[in-house]
C-alpha cells in the first residue's frame, strides 16, 4: 500500500478530526492533485468518502478486505500481527508461516489470506477456504514448552475463539478436544498446529486457524453442509469479519501470554466448561491406537484424560468421537 494513502486514512480516522480537502493536503504537505490521486487509490480498494456541509471529509465505508491497513486499524495487540503478511490468494497460510518461521520470522508474525487453494487440516485433510468468507490465518509462536505440551496451544486458540465469539456476537461455542470449535454441534472453526522441535525444545509452532464467517449453507460444498456452520449462520445476520479478527487476535495474544507465563492450568476451567467430551463416553483414535472409555478431564499438558478399563490414560493427540 502506498504510504501516502495510509497517511491519508490515519488522518481521516483520527478521533474528532475534521479536514477539508485543502486542509488535509496542507497537513500532509502535498498538492490537492496528489491528494485526489491518493483518494482515488483508496476508492479503488473499496473505501468511500463523504463530506458534510462544511466540506469536511469523513470515511463513509471501509472495505471488508484482509489488507494490512484494515487489520491494523484499531488492533490492540502488542506483538501479534505487528509483522503482518496479507495475501489475496495463497496455497496455505500455515505452509507460508512455516517458511517464514524457518527463515527466522519473529514470534507473533501473522499470515492471513482471503483465499486458500490448499488449505490444510490435520493428517493431510483439506480445509475448505472460500474466498472472502472466512478468516484463514496463521500465527508464528515460539513457546518455551516441551513438544508434548504443544497440544496446549490448540486449546489456547480454541478458547480464544470461543471467548471472542461469545463476547463479540453472543453466540455459545462448544469445544471438542483437541482442535474443533462448534456452534450447535457444527464446526465453525478448526485449528492446526504445526511444529518444529527437538526432543525437549520447541523451535517454533505455527498456529493456523480457519474461521467460517459469512458463508450461507449453499456456500459450503455438499459434503460439509450438514457438519459445518459459520458465524453469520449462527447469528442470523452479517458479521464484521475484520472487527472479529482484530478481537480474536487480541484475545489470542493475551491467552497465549498467560499460557507462556503460567502454563495451561489457569485456562483449563474455561476450556472445560465448554468441552463437549468431558463426562461422556468417547472413542479416541490416534494412528493405530484406539481408546474407548469416559473422558474425565483435560490434563494440564493439554491432553485428554480418559478412564478406560479402570485406568486413567492421558492422550496427547487424536481424533475423538462421542459414542
Ligand atoms: C482442522 O483439521 O480442523 C484444522 C483446520 C485448520 C485450517 C486453517 S486455515 C488457516 C491455516 N492454514 C491452513 O492451511 N490450515 C489452517 P481437521 O480436524 O483435520 O478437520 C478437517 C475436516 O474438517 C475436513 O476433513 C472436513 O471434514 C472439515 N472441513 C473442511 N473445511 C471446513 C470448513 N471450512 N468448515 C468446517 N469444516 C470443514
Amino acid at each position: 500500500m502506498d504510504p501516502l494513502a495510509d497517511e491519508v486514512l490515519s488522518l481521516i480516522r483520527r478521533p474528532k478530526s475534521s479536514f477539508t480537502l485543502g486542509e488535509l493536503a496542507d497537513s500532509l504537505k502535498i498538492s490537492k492533485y496528489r491528494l485526489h490521486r491518493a483518494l482515488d487509490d483508496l476508492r479503488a480498494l473499496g473505501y468511500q468518502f463523504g463530506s458534510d456541509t462544511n466540506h469536511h471529509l469523513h470515511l463513509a465505508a471501509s472495505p471488508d478486505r484482509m489488507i494490512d491497513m484494515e487489520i491494523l486499524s484499531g488492533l490492540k495487540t502488542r506483538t501479534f500481527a505487528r509483522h503482518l503478511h496479507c495475501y489475496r490468494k495463497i496455497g496455505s497460510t500455515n505452509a507460508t508461516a512455516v517458511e517464514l518461521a524457518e527463515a527466522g520470522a519473529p514470534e507473533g508474525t501473522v499470515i492471513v489470506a482471503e483465499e486458500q487453494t490448499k488449505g490444510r487440516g490435520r493428517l493431510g485433510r483439506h480445509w475448505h477456504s472460500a474466498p472472502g468468507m472466512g478468516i484463514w490465518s496463521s500465527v508464528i509462536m515460539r513457546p518455551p514448552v516441551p513438544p508434548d505440551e504443544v497440544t496446549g496451544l490448540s486449546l489456547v486458540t480454541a478458547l480464544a475463539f470461543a471467548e471472542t465469539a461469545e463476547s463479540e456476537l453472543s453466540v455459545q461455542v462448544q469445544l471438542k478436544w483437541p482442535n474443533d470449535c462448534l456452534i450447535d454441534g457444527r464446526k465453525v472453526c478448526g485449528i492446526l498446529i504445526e511444529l518444529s522441535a527437538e526432543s525437549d525444545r520447541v523451535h517454533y509452532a505455527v498456529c493456523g486457524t480457519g474461521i467460517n464467517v459469512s458463508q450461507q449453507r449453499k456456500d459450503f460444498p455438499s459434503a460439509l453442509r450438514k457438519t459445518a456452520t459459520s458465524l453469520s449462520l449462527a447469528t442470523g445476520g452479517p458479521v464484521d469479519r475484520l472487527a472479529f479478527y482484530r478481537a480474536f487476535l487480541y484475545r489470542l495474544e493475551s491467552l497465549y501470554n498467560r499460557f507462556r507465563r503460567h502454563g495451561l492450568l489457569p485456562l483449563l476451567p474455561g476450556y472445560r466448561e465448554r468441552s463437549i467430551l468431558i463426562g461422556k463416553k468417547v472413542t479416541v483414535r490416534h494412528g493405530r491406537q484406539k481408546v474407548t472409555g469416559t473422558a474425565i478431564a483435560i490434563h494440564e499438558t493439554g491432553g485428554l484424560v480418559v478412564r478406560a478399563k479402570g485406568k486413567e490414560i492421558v492422550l496427547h493427540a487424536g481424533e475423538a468421537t462421542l459414542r
Side-chain angles (χ1 to χ4, degrees), residues 122 153-154 157-158 178-181 189-193 207-210:
R122 296 179 303 157
L153 289 180
S154 215
T157 309
N179 73 322
D180 284 357
C181 306
C189 163
I191 297 154
L192 175 67
I193 308 287
C207 173
T209 313

Side-chain angles (χ1 to χ4, degrees), residues 92-94 116 120-122 125 127-128 179 187 190 212:
S92 149
T93 57
N94 261 36
Q116 294 187 119
R120 51 204 203 198
R122 296 179 303 157
R125 289 188 285 238
W127 182 258
H128 187 257
N179 73 322
K187 188 154 165 172
N212 300 326

Side-chain angles (χ1 to χ4, degrees), residues 31-88:
S31 66
K32 273 196 185 175
Y33 173 75
R34 278 207 68 202
L35 178 59
H36 276 295
R37 294 263 310 264
L39 290 173
D40 284 344
D41 288 349
L42 287 165
R43 285 190 190 98
L45 284 172
Y47 291 92
Q48 290 171 25
F49 303 93
S51 59
D52 61 17
T53 43
N54 297 322
H55 304 289
H56 289 139
L57 276 183
H58 63 263
L59 193 58
S62 306
D64 173 35
R65 288 174 65 175
M66 288 292 181
I67 50 178
D68 47 6
M69 279 190 306
E70 281 309 298
I71 296 168
L72 295 173
S73 159
L75 182 71
K76 291 193 286 177
T77 58
R78 285 170 72 92
T79 54
F80 280 23
R82 296 300 160 189
H83 290 84
L84 177 61
H85 303 257
C86 303
Y87 295 85
R88 201 180 60 72

Side-chain angles (χ1 to χ4, degrees), residues 44 52 54 59 86 94 98-99 116 143 145 149 177 216 237 272 275 312 316:
D52 61 17
N54 297 322
L59 193 58
C86 303
N94 261 36
V98 166
E99 283 167 21
Q116 294 187 119
V145 297
E149 291 186 22
W177 180 91
Q216 299 304 302
R272 209 178 294 127
S275 164
E312 286 181 10
H316 289 286

Side-chain angles (χ1 to χ4, degrees), residues 76-80 107-108 139-145 152-153 156-157 160 248-264 266-267:
K76 291 193 286 177
T77 58
R78 285 170 72 92
T79 54
F80 280 23
E107 173 150 275
V139 184
I140 295 173
M141 298 173 173
R142 298 185 183 274
V145 297
L153 289 180
V156 166
T157 309
F248 167 70
L249 283 174
Y250 179 65
R251 217 168 265 262
L252 181 60
E253 178 184 87
S254 84
L255 294 189
Y256 173 69
N257 285 338
R258 275 180 82 187
F259 171 74
R260 273 188 75 113
R261 278 197 292 274
H262 309 293
L264 201 56
L267 306 178

